[in-house]
Amino acid sequence: MPDWQREEVTTFWQPSKKLIKSIRDYQNASTQRSLIAPFRKKVAVLRHRFWSVVTGADIPLNVSMGGGISLPHANGIVIHPSSIIGVNCLIHQQVTLGVKRFEAKAPTLLGHVDIGAGAKIIGDITIGKHALIGANAVVTKDVPDYAIVAGVPAKLIGTTQISDINA
């Protein structure tokens, strides 16, 4: 279940939450068939451009994001448009979700994935649910559920416990 409170804007100056909200508003307006929907889309695009410049993030409007995403510091985050992000994922600053050279498929993050600052997740790979990706890790292979990976290239260094997740 997505934790929508993680995306809730509570004060004016929350650039990462405002960026996410502009993406959500654009996607909602894209599915509506009202007379005002095209106007709402254009406003969402303008807001997205503003908050993208403020945060320095490159997150496309058409990215597939599950609910409850958290970007504590959106600075420098780059996400490929064909990436799929599951529910309640945590993505820190300077993270890249990208494709390999001459490939079109991008990473898929299942639910509750935490990605440390500076990590690079590249190629047609799947990151399992509740996985933890260490800071500055370079991930080019699938990561199983509940795994902890770190390093360059990323290697399995442990697993999360169910009790750790519920705490």
Side-chain angles (χ1 to χ4, degrees):
M1 286 292 284
D3 181 3
W4 290 105
Q5 288 183 339
R6 292 168 58 141
E7 294 184 15
E8 188 176 314
V9 178
T10 55
T11 63
F12 173 74
W13 197 253
Q14 292 181 307
S16 59
K17 289 184 179 185
K18 295 276 185 130
L19 178 63
I20 294 168
K21 183 164 177 26
S22 69
I23 294 169
R24 299 273 186 223
D25 290 348
Y26 176 84
Q27 292 174 349
N28 287 338
S30 296
T31 62
Q32 294 177 348
R33 301 290 173 230
S34 69
L35 293 174
I36 198 167
F39 175 73
R40 291 183 61 225
K41 252 174 98 168
K42 288 180 183 180
V43 170
V45 168
L46 290 173
R47 288 178 28 238
H48 178 263
R49 287 183 181 169
F50 175 78
W51 291 113
S52 292
V53 169
V54 168
T55 61
D58 183 7
I59 303 173
L61 285 165
N62 61 343
V63 70
S64 175
M65 286 191 310
I69 190 168
S70 179
L71 311 172
H73 306 286
N75 302 23
I77 293 175
V78 177
I79 298 178
H80 191 273
S82 63
S83 296
I84 299 170
I85 302 170
V87 299
N88 299 331
C89 287
L90 172 68
I91 302 174
H92 285 280
Q93 66 272 15
Q94 301 295 324
V95 168
T96 298
L97 301 179
V99 296
K100 287 183 180 176
R101 191 172 183 189
F102 305 119
E103 287 186 14
K105 292 194 175 184
T108 298
L109 309 180
L110 301 182
H112 304 273
V113 174
D114 291 357
I115 305 173
K120 311 300 180 226
I121 301 173
I122 308 296
D124 181 17
I125 61 175
T126 300
I127 308 299
K129 61 186 175 188
H130 297 280
L132 302 177
I133 310 297
N136 294 315
V138 177
V139 184
T140 58
K141 296 181 181 171
D142 288 345
V143 175
D145 295 349
Y146 302 98
I148 302 171
V149 298
V152 180
K155 292 184 173 77
L156 181 67
I157 61 169
T159 59
T160 60
Q161 301 296 322
I162 300 296
S163 60
D164 293 343
I165 294 165
N166 294 329

